Amino acid sequence: MKVPNNFLWGAATSAYQVEGAATTNGKKPSQQDVINKDSYKEFGFATAEIASDEYHHYKEDVALMKEMGFTSYRFSIAWSRVFPDGTGEPNPEGVQYYHDLIDELKAAGIEPIVTLYHYDLPWALVERYDGWIDRQVVADFEYFARFVINEFKDQVKYWTTINEQSIIVQYWTQKCYIPEEYLDGKHNQLRYQINHHMNLAHAIACNLVHELVPGGLVGAPLGYAPVYPLTGKPEDVMAAQNAQALRNDYYTDIYFKGFYNKAAQTYLEQHGLAPKIEPGDMELIASGKSDFMAVNYYASECAKWCPDDGTHEMRWSGVNRSGKKGEMSGYETHPGFYEMCKNPNLDTTDWDWAIDPIGMEYMLRDLYNRYNVPLMITENGLGAYDTLTEDGKIHDPYRIDYLSKHIAAMERAMDKGVEMIAYCPWSAVDLLSTSNGVKKRYGLIYVDRTDDDPKECKRVRKDSFYWYQRVIATNGEELGYDEWK
């Protein structure tokens, strides 16, 4: 089966990771601006103050996207650029920036895929009531979303709501600013309370798109990793099912069935982690119909059985800060339920993320079989060290190898009947990694800066730029490394 002619080829970014101008032109800080300042002090990773400076380079970037042949671009709108204080009067300069960006995209024949929220809650709302921890955020999100959707309803057809709720639960201090008093290990229930508030916000956004946007389509961009058992032992297979329920189905079931996965919710209730649900919440959630599912896929996961030692002491997902293989700080553990572990059958990136193209195919087929809705890939990419040569080249065959194998996996899933809308790898240009700064590069376009020195953020086409140009020109028929040369 050939890729449909109306398939959307593009790439993705997020506002705080790429825009810069973090506290200028009327914008005030987001929680990510604050978190990244702390990361710079602790780890030496770049702040979001300049990032990739797309705020000043957007015309150049869109021209490069057009040169590659993009027919879509997935990006997010910074809440604190539109509403610097979270609520109140909109910032005219911020609103105009997104009008200018969307106009530039439309003129280039590129379909905007807009994400309403990508981790960057206005800092004013964190100061006011601890952000997503407090239920007031749902009403404030509705205020923001209603304005943005109404403002751009005539230009934007595809909308995604809240980025990677599952990842926010796992890495809540990287994706949210969590006050110190909640970090004593006794407040892990708040992870799932935040998620519940986001589910309410997601449903509201879905209803707003359907209310305001003629022909508008909406879904959530979920960070998703299928879970394999470490061995064929029944207890490992059971552990993988438990991990699948809590790490994946807990999020997808709520989007498409309107209720929390039973096994996961039971586990959370048994351990005092379940969210507080108020009357009317589940009715609101069930009303927010998603038209498609957007998936951010980087890696699969592996789980093994973890005996109940009686302590019920949980560990949460670790992270590799160094970029040296094998230095992952730990794996998520839920005694008596599951423990995540390294898959011995897969190679990894330098940051210990498993490289598994077949996992993409498995995920897409599984999700389509269960929910029978169209899918789009809104993130998929390889974080790596790239080197700018003396003659101004970036040779990244490792990225081409990674992306070509994942596109092939997507096409195999399509050949088995999976309906796909778009493929938007991470990322269009090099940007600021949430947990690893700018040295961990994902882009098809190189941004010449370091963690310490933003320089002029000069853009340079990588080898993968020219390769992807060929992929798009042939509508996914030619994926080989040499075919673009």
Side-chain angles (χ1 to χ4, degrees):
M1 180 182 294
K2 292 188 176 183
V3 175
N5 290 331
N6 63 349
F7 186 78
L8 298 174
W9 295 98
T13 63
S14 86
Y16 84 90
Q17 292 175 275
V18 74
E19 285 179 1
T23 53
T24 64
N25 302 91
K27 183 182 178 295
K28 291 185 179 180
S30 74
Q31 63 180 5
Q32 285 300 329
D33 297 322
V34 175
I35 290 169
N36 277 279
K37 283 184 178 179
D38 292 342
S39 293
Y40 180 74
K41 293 174 186 175
E42 186 172 358
F43 305 111
F45 299 147
T47 71
E49 191 66 33
I50 297 174
S52 302
D53 200 27
E54 189 173 88
Y55 191 87
H56 299 105
H57 287 259
Y58 76 91
K59 288 188 177 183
E60 178 185 0
D61 288 347
V62 172
L64 288 166
M65 294 176 203
K66 182 179 180 180
E67 183 183 336
M68 258 190 287
F70 280 20
T71 51
S72 66
Y73 175 46
R74 183 238 172 171
F75 63 96
S76 69
I77 290 179
W79 187 342
S80 61
R81 192 177 298 286
V82 176
F83 289 104
D85 294 309
T87 56
E89 292 298 313
N91 167 31
E93 290 182 72
V95 176
Q96 189 59 49
Y97 168 73
Y98 292 112
H99 272 297
D100 292 343
L101 172 60
I102 291 171
D103 287 345
E104 199 76 15
L105 290 167
K106 299 291 274 190
I110 299 172
E111 189 77 36
I113 301 173
V114 170
T115 299
L116 289 167
Y117 180 79
H118 198 121
Y119 308 150
D120 49 355
L121 188 74
W123 181 246
L125 301 186
V126 178
E127 292 184 310
R128 202 174 299 164
Y129 50 68
D130 293 338
W132 284 103
I133 290 173
D134 194 286
R135 192 181 173 92
Q136 175 59 36
V137 75
V138 179
D140 290 343
F141 175 85
E142 181 175 5
Y143 181 85
F144 160 70
R146 180 177 290 276
F147 174 86
V148 169
I149 293 167
N150 190 61
E151 184 74 17
F152 300 104
K153 64 184 178 184
D154 296 328
Q155 296 172 293
V156 178
K157 175 182 178 180
Y158 295 101
W159 297 83
T160 58
T161 56
I162 302 198
N163 189 70
E164 295 188 337
Q165 289 180 229
S166 58
I167 305 301
I168 291 168
V169 169
Q170 291 176 43
Y171 299 100
W172 71 328
T173 59
Q174 292 178 40
K175 315 303 183 183
C176 293
Y177 187 92
I178 306 300
E180 192 70 32
E181 61 263 31
Y182 300 128
L183 300 178
D184 57 3
K186 300 177 182 179
H187 291 85
N188 281 318
Q189 183 271 347
L190 291 177
R191 295 175 186 254
Y192 293 95
Q193 195 64 46
I194 286 170
N195 179 67
H196 183 67
H197 294 159
M198 289 182 169
N199 283 326
L200 297 171
H202 163 78
I204 288 168
C206 288
N207 290 334
L208 285 170
V209 169
H210 293 142
E211 172 193 340
L212 297 172
V213 184
L217 300 173
V218 62
L222 183 67
Y224 194 102
V227 183
Y228 306 143
L230 177 62
T231 72
K233 294 179 182 178
E235 53 266 42
D236 284 347
V237 175
M238 199 70 247
Q241 187 177 97
N242 291 339
Q244 172 70 20
L246 187 58
R247 292 171 66 105
N248 291 325
D249 300 346
Y250 191 70
Y251 306 94
T252 54
D253 280 358
I254 201 81
Y255 294 149
F256 297 103
K257 297 180 179 179
F259 54 81
Y260 288 112
N261 176 272
K262 299 296 186 181
Q265 183 72 353
T266 299
Y267 173 83
L268 295 178
E269 290 170 356
Q270 290 171 343
H271 293 83
L273 296 172
K276 296 176 183 177
I277 300 173
E278 295 189 5
D281 283 0
M282 299 313 295
E283 289 79 6
L284 172 58
I285 286 171
S287 75
K289 302 296 184 182
S290 296
D291 300 298
F292 58 83
M293 182 172 178
V295 190
N296 298 348
Y297 176 83
Y298 292 91
S300 59
E301 295 279 7
C302 189
K304 63 182 180 180
W305 179 245
C306 180
D308 187 348
D309 58 6
T311 66
H312 301 295
E313 184 177 344
M314 302 168 190
R315 294 198 308 268
W316 299 87
S317 301
V319 65
N320 181 326
R321 299 281 191 182
S322 69
K324 298 177 182 177
K325 285 189 182 185
E327 295 195 359
M328 177 73 75
S329 60
Y331 291 91
E332 183 177 331
T333 304
H334 295 261
F337 207 48
Y338 66 83
E339 179 179 351
M340 307 310 294
C341 59
K342 177 178 169 51
N343 188 333
N345 300 299
L346 296 174
D347 193 11
T348 69
T349 70
D350 290 326
W351 284 267
D352 289 321
W353 294 17
I355 299 173
D356 182 18
I358 292 176
M360 166 96 87
E361 180 183 4
Y362 174 85
M363 171 193 71
L364 293 174
R365 289 182 58 182
D366 182 49
L367 287 171
Y368 191 74
N369 287 340
R370 282 195 281 134
Y371 301 115
N372 197 34
V373 295
L375 297 149
M376 64 168 67
I377 297 297
T378 40
E379 292 182 28
N380 171 235
L382 178 71
Y385 296 105
D386 291 341
T387 301
L388 180 63
T389 63
E390 290 185 3
D391 60 350
K393 307 290 185 182
I394 299 95
H395 303 300
D396 55 343
Y398 38 84
R399 182 167 293 107
I400 293 171
D401 182 67
Y402 177 97
L403 293 175
S404 65
K405 289 177 179 176
H406 282 79
I407 293 172
M410 176 186 70
E411 292 178 349
R412 290 196 301 271
M414 295 171 77
D415 196 44
K416 296 297 188 295
V418 176
E419 185 180 354
M420 297 294 303
I421 298 171
Y423 178 73
C424 294
W426 192 260
S427 54
V429 303
D430 285 342
L431 39 64
L432 172 64
S433 165
T434 304
S435 56
N436 297 103
V438 299
K439 66 181 179 181
K440 185 183 185 183
R441 296 179 179 273
Y442 284 93
L444 299 159
I445 300 164
Y446 186 87
V447 176
D448 187 17
R449 65 155 298 169
T450 67
D451 281 301
D452 290 315
D453 185 1
K455 303 180 184 178
E456 296 178 1
C457 290
K458 180 182 177 182
R459 272 54 173 165
V460 183
R461 298 165 183 81
K462 301 182 185 181
D463 282 358
S464 57
F465 174 104
Y466 298 105
W467 164 82
Y468 195 45
Q469 184 182 58
R470 182 65 178 168
V471 170
I472 297 172
T474 62
N475 201 28
E477 289 192 21
E478 295 185 10
L479 301 179
Y481 178 75
D482 294 323
E483 288 166 328
W484 58 270
K485 288 185 177 179

